[in-house]
Every structure is written in C-alpha cells, then in structure tokens.
Amino acid sequence: MARQPRLTVAAYPHHVIQRGNDRQAIVRDDVDRERLLALWQEHAQIFKVAIHAYVIMDNHFHLLVTPETDHGLPQMMQAVGRAYVRYFNLRHQRSGTLWEGRYRSNLIESERYLLACMVYIDLNPVRAGMVEQAADFKWSSHRHCIGQVSAKWVTPHALFWGLGNTPFAREATYAELVQTGLVQAEKLQLTQSALSGWALGSAHFVGELQQSTTRRLVPGKAGRPAKKTAD
C-alpha cells in the first residue's frame, strides 16, 4: 500500500519524530547534541518555523513546532537532516544513512493536545529511565519552560502564555502539569498519531482541516468497502 503523503499546514502545531536508522544512536556525546540544537536554531529562523518544545534522546528526537508556511517544516527538516548527517559522518568517520527514512509528523489540535504534547515530549527521558525527573534532563526544552535556563530560540505557544499572568506563574503551572503527567491513553494517542501521520483532534477540528486538503486525515474503517447494489 502506498504511504500517505505527509501533510503540513501553516499556522497549525505539528508533532515531529525522527528516528535513527535501525534504532542506532543519532548522538554520541554532548558535542553532537549541541550541533543538532544549533542547526535547529539556525534553520527554524531561516524557514520561519516556531519551535515550542523539543527533546534529544539517544536514538531519536521529538519536536513540537508551528510553521508559518506550508513548506517551512519540510524545508527545515531537510536542511537540518542533510547538514547533521554530513557533520556526524565526518566527525565519527562513518558513511551512509543515519535516519530511519523520512521524519514522521502530524497536525494536532492546539486546545486539546498542545500542552499534552509538550508534557509528553518532556517526559520522554523519564519514561526511558534516563532520569527520575524531567528537570534532571539537560537536552530538552523542559528546563527552559520552567524557568531554570533561557533558550531564546524556543517560542512559547499562546496556550503556554495562557497558563499564567507572570513568567513565574506560567512556569509553576507548567511544572505542575509535567509532574502530574499523562494517562496511558493520551501517551498512545500522541505516539500513534505522530508515527502514522493522522491528525489528532476533535471531529470538528478534523472536519475543518479536511476542507483544506484531499489527503485523508484519519484512518479508514477496517475491512473491505461494502459492495454497491444495482439500482
């Protein structure tokens, strides 16, 4: 079966996952991690993509972004992917592919899933057993979001601004959201929708979005289509 074309729509948040080929490491040390961050910062600005959240795991990464144009996200990901592979192969004296095919992404409904997606991204290292608390992990946007460090290239979404009237209030409220965590159903929704490319949101959200594209946004019903009867 032919794979679905990837969908990018300006002004909507997108959850992005990029994995290493055969689950191999995409970073080997902090120098690699710093290089990947620098490339995101550079190309997000060039292609007008707002980065709201990120995490760099050993063999994959997550981004939560909103592109200003329909082409900004794929252009950014292509530029970063090529530049990072050139750097990584040269530095580690290797050749060949690094990524597991193309990146995966999907659109999410801001009001229902944006903050949940941020929490999901921040808790990746905790779920993987790398740290006990999200704030213990250096290579995500979490510490920026709770005010422990400043990453000026990370762009707060309007819903994050709505968490409080002051930076301290926003940071405290968001820290509490992460501490509370997500239920298993939310984790599965966020993972499966990003890997499959299906839009994640209410029926109203998907219906409105469907008007802007001929690409199917949700899975079809299982089984063969019903046969038509003669008139």
Side-chain angles (χ1 to χ4, degrees):
M1 179 184 295
R3 63 187 179 185
Q4 287 271 66
R6 195 164 42 220
L7 178 66
T8 308
V9 181
Y12 284 89
H14 297 65
H15 178 198
V16 178
I17 301 176
Q18 178 76 76
R19 289 175 167 173
N21 186 45
D22 198 25
R23 298 189 181 275
Q24 67 179 294
I26 63 169
V27 291
R28 296 186 181 178
D29 54 28
D30 287 355
V31 176
D32 291 345
R33 296 179 181 92
E34 291 285 4
R35 180 60 175 167
L36 187 54
L37 289 178
L39 288 170
W40 283 342
Q41 182 176 1
E42 175 187 357
H43 292 289
Q45 182 176 9
I46 291 172
F47 296 111
K48 302 184 185 306
V49 177
I51 297 178
H52 309 305
Y54 70 85
V55 66
I56 302 175
M57 304 294 283
D58 290 342
N59 62 7
H60 69 283
F61 65 74
H62 292 256
L63 293 168
L64 178 62
V65 303
T66 299
E68 288 188 18
T69 69
D70 291 348
H71 304 293
L73 177 57
Q75 288 174 335
M76 184 193 86
M77 293 298 294
Q78 183 180 68
V80 169
R82 288 178 174 176
Y84 185 74
V85 171
R86 286 196 300 269
Y87 150 83
F88 190 86
N89 284 354
L90 180 63
R91 180 168 185 251
H92 297 293
Q93 299 182 338
R94 67 183 295 279
S95 61
T97 186
L98 178 64
W99 309 119
E100 182 188 65
R102 62 182 192 167
Y103 68 90
R104 309 292 186 91
S105 70
N106 73 307
L107 280 75
I108 63 174
E109 184 176 11
S110 299
E111 290 74 12
R112 293 186 63 168
Y113 291 105
L114 184 125
L115 292 173
C117 190
M118 289 181 63
V119 172
Y120 171 89
I121 288 172
D122 284 349
L123 287 175
N124 257 257
V126 178
R127 289 194 298 273
M130 301 170 72
V131 293
E132 291 187 5
Q133 301 291 331
D136 297 333
F137 192 71
K138 181 180 179 181
W139 303 103
S140 80
S141 51
H142 179 70
R143 296 197 301 165
H144 167 77
C145 292
I146 62 172
Q148 291 188 0
V149 299
S150 177
K152 295 182 179 179
W153 57 278
V154 174
T155 304
H157 190 274
L159 287 174
F160 182 84
W161 281 102
L163 292 176
N165 293 325
T166 66
F168 178 79
R170 289 190 289 272
E171 292 156 6
T173 301
Y174 182 69
E176 186 175 346
L177 288 176
V178 174
Q179 189 66 33
T180 301
L182 304 173
V183 299
Q184 185 64 21
E186 288 179 303
K187 297 175 192 176
L188 289 174
Q189 282 182 312
L190 287 160
T191 300
Q192 293 172 356
S193 60
L195 293 177
S196 64
W198 303 123
L200 180 59
S202 64
H204 177 72
F205 168 79
V206 173
E208 283 197 338
L209 188 60
Q210 188 68 79
Q211 296 177 21
S212 65
T213 178
T214 58
R215 178 199 185 275
R216 190 154 48 90
L217 299 178
V218 294
K221 294 182 179 180
R224 296 181 179 179
K227 293 183 179 180
K228 293 182 178 180
T229 57
D231 292 336

